[in-house]
């Protein structure tokens, strides 16, 4: 089924991108946890731990590092494990858009004698996930140009834009790309 806004994702944990695409997560009922499954933020609490325990299809308990989980779905929202946190996919399609907080390190040396200091700060950045390759890139003009290479007509239109117009149009071309190349997901 081609993804649309009214697509019903099954709630649970995705170990891989393929489980996401098949809409076949590990269901909440299979997760083993002392947290009551009726808790509103059950998955958040479970995934806040270093490991997750669940019963596989044969009924055997499996234990995984939370850091190895691809993502999860809760309340019709999909969250991707990126940069050691789970980030909500704001746009879902062949190219998915999300934001994530990253640590930026800057080096300053006012003396020019190599005695500078490193400054660390957190910054919210935009990213895109290519669901065909499962690769994440910064959401920039360059990454959009790269993604559009598979759609020459869109790329040609995009390349005709001036630099500032490109910057202002990357969301439009993300949507156009997803319309031309819909993400197909397994049914419910």
């Amino acid at each position: 089924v081609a993804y649309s806004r009214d697509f019903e994702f099954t709630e649970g944990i995705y170990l891989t991108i393929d489980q996401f695409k098949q809409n076949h997560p590990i269901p909440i009922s299979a997760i083993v946890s002392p947290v009551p499954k009726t808790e509103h933020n059950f998955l958040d609490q479970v995934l806040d731990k270093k490991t997750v325990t669940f019963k596989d299809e044969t009924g055997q308990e499996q234990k995984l590092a939370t850091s190895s989980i691809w993502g999860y779905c809760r309340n019709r929202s999909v969250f991707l494990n990126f940069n050691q946190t789970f980030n909500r996919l704001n746009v879902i399609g062949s190219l998915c858009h999300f934001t994530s907080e990253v640590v930026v390190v800057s080096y300053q040396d006012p003396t020019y004698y190599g005695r500078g200091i490193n400054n660390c700060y957190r910054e919210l950045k935009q990213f895109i996930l290519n669901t065909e390759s499962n690769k994440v890139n910064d959401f920039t003009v360059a990454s959009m140009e790269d993604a559009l290479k598979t759609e020459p007509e869109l790329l040609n239109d995009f390349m005709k834009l001036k630099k500032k117009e490109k910057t202002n149009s990357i969301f439009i071309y993300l949507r156009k790309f997803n319309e031309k190349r819909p993400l197909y997901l397994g049914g419910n």
Side-chain angles (χ1 to χ4, degrees):
V1 177
Y3 172 76
S4 67
R5 289 179 156 247
D6 49 334
F7 184 85
E8 288 287 333
F9 284 101
T10 304
E11 289 200 356
I13 296 173
Y14 306 114
L15 300 182
T16 64
I17 191 170
D18 290 330
Q19 282 185 334
F20 162 69
K21 288 182 189 178
Q22 294 163 7
N23 192 26
H24 189 69
I26 294 168
I28 290 174
S29 59
I31 298 170
V32 178
S33 172
V35 177
K37 290 181 170 69
T38 55
E39 289 272 330
H40 170 68
N41 57 353
F42 171 75
L43 283 173
D44 294 332
Q45 290 182 55
V46 167
L47 295 171
D48 202 28
K49 308 282 187 246
K50 289 195 184 292
T51 60
V52 174
T53 305
F54 65 94
K55 290 186 179 178
D56 64 18
E57 292 172 355
T58 65
Q60 296 290 318
E61 282 194 9
Q62 302 290 329
K63 194 176 235 179
L64 281 179
T66 303
S67 60
S68 70
I69 291 169
W70 184 87
Y72 71 96
C73 175
R74 185 193 77 218
N75 296 333
R76 298 186 69 197
S77 295
V78 176
F79 296 82
L80 171 68
N81 187 359
F82 176 76
N83 201 24
Q84 301 170 351
T85 60
F86 287 94
N87 304 277
R88 184 175 181 267
L89 297 181
N90 302 315
V91 174
I92 296 177
S94 290
L95 295 177
C96 297
H97 173 269
F98 66 98
T99 56
S100 182
E101 204 172 73
V102 295
V103 174
V104 178
V105 178
S106 67
Y107 180 76
Q108 294 178 333
D109 185 7
T111 65
Y112 303 105
Y113 293 110
R115 296 188 183 118
I117 53 170
N118 285 334
N119 290 323
C120 294
Y121 59 94
R122 294 187 175 279
E123 181 176 282
L124 194 63
K125 289 186 72 176
Q126 298 184 65
F127 297 93
I128 52 173
L129 164 71
N130 184 324
T131 57
E132 289 178 23
S133 65
N134 196 26
K135 297 258 189 278
V136 172
N137 290 309
D138 290 349
F139 187 42
T140 62
V141 168
S143 65
M144 202 64 227
E145 286 175 1
D146 191 47
L148 291 173
K149 285 179 182 172
T150 57
E151 288 298 329
E153 186 180 310
L154 284 177
L155 178 61
N156 189 33
D157 291 347
F158 190 69
M159 296 308 286
K160 289 177 184 174
L161 299 173
K162 293 180 177 138
K163 187 176 181 179
K164 186 168 178 114
E165 290 173 321
K166 284 182 183 178
T167 302
N168 293 336
S169 299
I170 56 177
F171 269 107
I172 293 166
Y173 279 84
L174 174 72
R175 183 181 50 78
K176 287 181 178 187
F177 182 88
N178 284 337
E179 286 171 0
K180 277 210 178 256
R181 289 181 159 240
L183 173 63
Y184 288 95
L185 301 166
N188 309 35

